[in-house]
Amino acid sequence: MKRREFLKAAGVGLAAGAVASPAIAQSMPDMKWRLTSSFPKSLDTIFGAAETFAKAVAEATDNKFQIQVFAAGELVPGLQAADTVTNGTVEMCHTASYYYVGKDPTFAFGTNIPFGLNQRMNDAWMFYGGGMDLMNAFYKKYNIHAIPAGNTGAQMGGWFRKEIKDTNDLNGLKMRVGGFAGRVLQKVGVVPQQIAGGEIYPALEKGTIDAAEWVGPYDDEKLGFQKVAQFYYYPGWWEGGPMLHNMVNIDKWNALPKAYQSIINSASHVANTTMMAKYDASNPAALKRLVAAGAQLRPFPQPVMEACFKAANEVYAETSAANADFKKVYESQLAFRGDQYLWWQIAEYGYDTFMIRSRARS
Ligand code: CA
């Protein structure tokens, strides 16, 4: 209907919705998708990001596009979420790309590499630094199209039964730490252990492991680590700004109406922003409670940080020499990180360090 005719029709009292509905019905078909999360419901901030996303999609489409969210283990185990999207069994998943470094280390860049980008920089690289294009060119090999959808911000370094005073204290230290970070820590003497969330506490309690990293105060508090390992180290340099993704089967993505693709992008932005906001709002109170319950905060000593940084750079040089995809994405992130910190040391760092010092006086 031409605009002039529409206005005429509206003028005689014909409901605008009735006139527009045939066009909307075509571009907004009834659809039901499943989303498998890599996370349990107990991680309500991370798992909740997928629920926030699905709700935003349903609301924007008047419930025509419904995405049902399943927790880890309900459809497939958490660490197989991307595989089931690759083979198209499930339309999409909400996951951490670095869970799949066993297939190819390039997956690490979708989340974080040790000493990689912080949360703001990760967003900037993805959306305006070529990151999304680079990663989606890589994910295509796995039939995946991925959209950023959440971040925890810088994580904590985890819980240690003994203090780490210098790099020698890392020698033979059995630590629960995942994937790529484990490869770096191995170079400085740590013996990395892969242990699922629910089994960390008993392993620490029995002394089967000496240390464990999880997320940050809000999530760590629920697992009660302060009761069995009192030294709470920071920062979690292997996760300075780990990003999560909505990964969609590429054929399902390409078959979607453009309007639905756009709504998935927008709803993913909502999840990306609100997940970080929820952590930022929840972590300070949780940290206070943990310290009141006996947690002893400790920064990693500078020589330990330096040794780990050197080890990480060695891992990147070795991996780049063996893997062209890794090299390409690493070089992009490395250049981006350099320019970002050039800028951050001026306004952001200048402002934040003044405010942190002023806090004690106010
Ligand atoms: Ca972690």
Side-chain angles (χ1 to χ4, degrees), residues 132-178:
M132 254 182 100
D133 289 343
L134 273 173
M135 289 313 292
N136 273 323
F138 167 74
Y139 292 137
K140 213 173 176 178
K141 294 182 176 177
Y142 297 85
N143 294 330
I144 284 168
H145 176 78
I147 307 126
N151 204 303
T152 64
Q155 296 196 1
M156 289 294 282
W159 301 86
F160 290 69
R161 284 160 60 91
K162 288 184 188 143
E163 277 190 272
I164 302 300
K165 296 206 163 137
D166 58 47
T167 42
N168 291 332
D169 293 328
L170 298 175
N171 230 332
L173 186 102
K174 280 184 271 173
M175 179 175 181
R176 184 269 175 196
V177 56

Side-chain angles (χ1 to χ4, degrees), residues 98 152 155-157 176-178 213-216 220 236 238-239 242:
Y98 69 2
T152 64
Q155 296 196 1
M156 289 294 282
R176 184 269 175 196
V177 56
E213 71 87 42
W214 187 233
V215 185
D220 292 7
W238 49 91
E239 285 169 300

